[in-house]
Amino acid sequence: MTQPTDRRLLRITGSDAKTFLQGLLSNDLDKIEQGLVYTAMLTPQGKYLADFFVLRDGDAILLDTDAQQTDMLVKRLTMYKLRADVTITEGARHMTRGLDPMPAGAFADPRHPALGWRAYDGQPGDDTDWTALEVLHIIPQAGIELTPDSFLLEMGFERLNGVDFKKGCYVGQEVTARMKHKTELRKGLAQVDIIGEAPLGTQITTDAGKPAGTLFRQSGVKALAYLRFDRATGPLNAKDAQITYAP
């Protein structure tokens, strides 16, 4: 069994744990009674801070977090805790993941059926090419496609079951709701066809040289890109690579 090195678990306990998280996260924490929940934490301006998975663990709530974000999350959660009956500690379990068949005690990945399962009780994972799957299904990754400038709806969180528009208020909710109900998305994460290669973060331009977006992870002839849709209607370039977007 290969233990992942890019995830850490936080354990949230106390009588106010669920209510506390409900007021901070983009998804409805009532859903943890049925399974694994994908969610995000935002700034008051509605921009991305972190994304993670939440699950019920007896009287506690576990947060399956990106290891590069865990310490920041602890500080941010502690800042909001005030006098709430909430204790935040690091969990001792390890996350593993794989494709079907799903072992007993594992949870279906709520973002997309093709992403298999996640487990927290020592079940063996597998050697799936997760980058290829994430490019194929337009799944953003923390620290790559997801940055402090990201907005959830531009990154596909509604499609990925990572945001709930009926749960009520949470930090950053007003901006997210406004983007949902009052505007048409003019930018966003998309899958593109690519001939050639270019480094992560390469600027995408039109044939006329106008900025049209940013190139991210590539798998074969497909890649993820953050695009200005109004400028992605024709041939695009990322240094020596040729890019085509077909919505």
Side-chain angles (χ1 to χ4, degrees):
M1 178 178 66
T2 302
Q3 296 287 7
T5 58
D6 60 347
R7 308 297 295 183
R8 288 165 61 189
L9 298 186
L10 294 177
R11 184 177 175 86
I12 315 297
T13 56
S15 61
D16 296 328
K18 186 175 176 182
T19 302
F20 167 68
L21 291 172
Q22 183 77 305
L24 295 175
L25 306 184
S26 64
N27 215 334
D28 186 353
L29 266 290
D30 286 340
K31 297 174 184 176
I32 64 172
E33 311 306 334
Q34 285 77 50
L36 195 63
V37 172
Y38 181 55
T39 189
M41 192 169 178
L42 309 178
T43 68
Q45 295 76 34
K47 290 191 174 183
Y48 169 88
L49 273 174
D51 64 312
F52 43 90
F53 300 85
V54 184
L55 64 147
R56 169 67 72 186
D57 182 33
D59 293 335
I61 296 174
L62 294 185
L63 275 54
D64 168 1
T65 71
D66 183 279
Q68 299 300 313
Q69 297 179 333
T70 309
D71 292 340
M72 176 274 293
L73 270 173
V74 171
K75 292 179 181 178
R76 184 67 60 142
L77 292 170
T78 301
M79 180 185 75
Y80 281 117
K81 184 167 74 72
L82 300 177
R83 296 183 180 180
D85 179 19
V86 171
T87 301
I88 305 164
T89 57
E90 185 142 6
R93 297 185 182 188
H94 296 280
M95 187 279 290
T96 55
R97 61 191 302 207
L99 301 181
D100 292 336
M102 185 166 67
F107 299 86
D109 190 315
R111 296 172 297 173
H112 194 285
L115 296 180
W117 50 263
R118 303 174 79 88
Y120 304 90
D121 291 317
Q123 295 93 329
D126 62 34
D127 295 324
T128 296
D129 184 345
W130 296 107
T131 295
L133 273 180
E134 289 166 1
V135 170
L136 179 63
H137 298 290
I138 318 177
I139 312 294
Q141 181 174 309
I144 302 180
E145 292 85 17
L146 292 170
T147 75
D149 289 324
S150 297
F151 291 101
L152 293 193
L153 298 193
E154 291 183 347
M155 292 293 111
F157 269 66
E158 185 174 10
R159 173 179 55 85
L160 299 175
N161 302 309
V163 60
D164 189 292
F165 293 101
K166 298 179 181 179
K167 63 164 285 184
C169 294
Y170 57 90
V171 176
Q173 179 264 344
E174 184 177 351
V175 174
T176 306
R178 188 183 308 126
M179 292 183 72
K180 165 70 173 175
H181 297 295
K182 294 186 177 180
T183 63
E184 179 179 354
L185 293 179
R186 294 176 291 180
K187 303 177 183 178
L189 189 67
Q191 183 192 90
V192 296
D193 295 322
I194 184 168
I195 300 174
E197 296 183 0
L200 280 171
T202 297
Q203 184 182 67
I204 298 171
T205 59
T206 67
D207 272 356
K210 292 183 178 181
T214 305
L215 181 68
F216 291 112
R217 288 177 293 163
Q218 181 176 347
S219 178
V221 297
K222 301 290 184 180
L224 295 180
Y226 180 72
L227 295 178
R228 276 191 55 168
F229 297 127
D230 63 331
R231 291 185 178 176
T233 57
L236 301 169
N237 306 291
K239 288 193 174 178
D240 295 329
Q242 298 175 342
I243 291 172
T244 305
Y245 170 59

